[in-house]
Amino acid sequence: MSTDSTNIITRFAPSPTGLLHLGHAYSALFSQTEASRQGGRFLLRIEDIDPGRCRAEFEDAIYDDLSWLGLEWETPVRRQSRHMDDYDNASRSLDKMGLLYPCFCTRKDIQAEIKNAQHAPHHNADGPDGPLYPGICRELSEDEREYRIQAGEVFALRLDMGKAICCLSGPLHWLDRDRGETLATPEIFGDVVLARKDTPTSYHLAVTVDDHLQGVTLVTRGEDLMPSTHVHRLLQELLEFDVPEYRHHGLLKGSDGRRLAKRDKSLTLKALREAGKSPDDVRKMAGL
Ligand code: GLU
């Protein structure tokens, strides 16, 4: 889909797993600026699919910090934890296409298999998230899968990447407004996990479904997430979703040259506010 600048929709999609820092402020302002300079709409989305790491107090702090910065967003805010049915529908569609399989491996099983394979002539490659899944459960028979599920074994759902790529009619691309037409190579992730038992979705699936359902036409996010776009582009194709355009912005670095992270307590928006900085100071610090 080509983006009509009059109805551009961007979004900022933080996870409430900690306080927002200067890097998040930059990302949120970047997204809002992209929407407003083209007369479009800016959305805020709370990515709270991981109950073990997300906390209500961090979500409240997101609203406080962003309002303090002067951002305005549409309500109601989409909170991913309330939309598990949408992700489940998407994963059922992929399952009907025969593209998902249950994986019963523990982290230990995977590490052991990778260690063994290191001695083999074609040993396992690394992907953006670490070593690729060596495919142990891909070859299980239907009977064994059924037996283990019935026995209550914990499993994740993985995408059979080889099969998924075979479904495509040709190479996939996306338009990155800074980098141009970009070839998608989702195979770099191997058989990526799309759902887990405790969280019936994954970052990749939830983001792709939400961007589609919310009509996002321009995805803006940090360049650290650029590898993920390869998988998202594949999911869009398999699920017959429209394709947004992308801007993957640079990341702010701390004085140590490393990119800002939740460990940089002095650069949280809360700390900056308490240290007497104004929203304008923060915009300047973010280089905006
Ligand atoms: N929730 C993700 C994060 O906080 C961002 C997702 C995205 O922008 O696609 O890193």
Side-chain angles (χ1 to χ4, degrees):
M1 183 182 70
S2 80
T3 304
D4 174 352
S5 61
T6 53
N7 54 26
I8 186 169
I9 304 180
T10 67
R11 71 351 179 238
F12 174 57
S15 304
T17 54
L19 291 171
L20 297 186
H21 55 62
L22 193 58
H24 293 110
Y26 174 73
S27 198
L29 290 164
F30 183 94
S31 182
Q32 192 231 22
T33 306
E34 280 299 298
S36 62
R37 78 189 171 84
Q38 298 174 67
R41 294 164 54 201
F42 168 69
L43 311 178
L44 171 66
R45 182 166 75 225
I46 301 294
E47 302 213 324
D48 58 348
I49 54 171
D50 183 347
R53 294 177 61 225
C54 294
R55 301 228 298 259
E57 71 203 70
F58 293 136
E59 183 176 336
D60 290 343
I62 289 173
Y63 302 130
D64 284 353
D65 287 340
L66 296 182
S67 310
W68 174 77
L69 261 182
L71 285 162
E72 284 175 17
W73 54 88
E74 295 183 10
T75 53
V77 168
R78 186 173 172 94
R79 300 171 69 236
Q80 291 187 325
S81 56
R82 300 286 174 93
H83 297 279
M84 291 300 173
D85 286 357
D86 290 331
Y87 315 132
D88 202 42
N89 285 339
S91 104
R92 276 171 206 271
S93 302
L94 295 169
D95 197 32
K96 275 199 200 126
M97 295 163 78
L99 299 180
L100 301 185
Y101 65 87
C103 171
F104 305 92
C105 293
T106 61
R107 213 167 276 196
K108 251 189 177 168
D109 296 333
I110 297 174
Q111 276 163 2
E113 178 70 18
I114 288 171
K115 209 163 164 217
N116 280 338
Q118 272 165 2
H119 307 295
H122 302 291
H123 77 78
N124 214 54
D126 273 356
D129 292 339
L132 299 188
Y133 177 65
I136 309 165
C137 289
R138 196 193 306 128
E139 309 308 332
L140 297 181
S141 67
E142 266 318 313
D143 282 353
E144 180 160 7
R145 286 177 181 163
E146 208 41 51
Y147 174 80
R148 293 176 73 169
I149 291 172
Q150 292 308 328
E153 273 194 56
V154 173
F155 63 93
L157 288 175
R158 286 186 183 272
L159 181 69
D160 186 330
M161 186 59 81
K163 253 194 197 172
I165 286 173
C166 280
C167 288
L168 304 176
S169 51
L172 297 178
H173 295 87
W174 73 80
L175 181 64
D176 185 307
R177 290 194 177 181
D178 304 294
R179 295 165 175 85
E181 199 70 11
T182 307
L183 176 70
T185 54
E187 60 276 15
I188 57 173
F189 278 87
D191 289 0
V192 70
V193 169
L194 290 189
R196 294 186 191 279
K197 188 155 193 223
D198 46 350
T199 308
T201 182
S202 65
Y203 159 67
H204 297 305
L205 189 63
V207 163
T208 307
V209 168
D210 283 350
D211 285 339
H212 166 69
L213 292 178
Q214 295 191 285
V216 172
T217 61
L218 177 64
V219 172
T220 64
R221 59 184 171 213
E223 63 190 10
D224 55 327
L225 288 172
M226 194 156 56
S228 304
T229 306
H230 293 273
V231 175
H232 302 179
R233 183 66 193 87
L234 172 64
L235 294 176
Q236 288 155 3
E237 200 66 14
L238 297 171
L239 294 164
E240 299 181 11
F241 291 168
D242 286 338
V243 185
E245 293 182 3
Y246 288 85
R247 286 201 73 183
H248 297 96
H249 60 72
L251 303 175
L252 296 191
K253 304 232 165 73
S255 48
D256 56 1
R258 292 203 294 167
R259 73 183 174 91
L260 298 182
K262 293 196 167 124
R263 63 171 184 273
D264 299 297
K265 302 273 183 278
S266 63
L267 291 177
T268 63
L269 297 182
K270 184 167 181 266
L272 291 169
R273 201 157 27 150
E274 284 169 3
K277 302 283 184 209
S278 69
D280 263 358
D281 295 334
V282 168
R283 282 172 191 259
K284 281 191 198 114
M285 286 173 80
L288 291 161

